[in-house]
Amino acid sequence: NITKRLGSARWRGSIEVRGAKYTPGEIINLTIPSVGCTAQNLRIIDVHHQMTKKGWFTTLKLEEDENVVGN
């Protein structure tokens, strides 16, 4: 019963963007048509910045919030 209520698929993963300022806990609206992700609200779980000779890059760990389940 618990698995039926909480076992729904959710978007989760990481993306790298050109250096940007984000804060864990923020919600971003993401669309990546090539993977079927259309206007998904994803929460930023972790932010990692990396500076190289090629520039400043930010890796965002993202996860879709779980659906609220009633009693």
Side-chain angles (χ1 to χ4, degrees), residues 13-52:
S14 297
I15 61 169
E16 184 177 82
V17 296
R18 272 290 221 214
K21 200 171 184 180
Y22 291 100
T23 304
E26 281 183 69
I27 299 285
I28 63 170
N29 187 277
L30 186 67
T31 296
I32 306 174
S34 62
V35 297
C37 179
T38 306
Q40 294 294 321
N41 288 323
L42 303 175
R43 185 170 305 280
I44 299 171
I45 303 300
D46 190 31
V47 178
H48 177 78
H49 299 289
Q50 184 175 6
M51 287 166 250
T52 69

Side-chain angles (χ1 to χ4, degrees), residues 51-67:
M51 287 166 250
T52 69
K53 290 180 181 180
K54 294 183 180 181
W56 168 31
F57 301 92
T58 301
T59 301
L60 303 175
K61 182 176 177 184
L62 306 169
E63 186 172 299
E64 183 179 8
D65 288 344
E66 290 186 39
N67 292 331

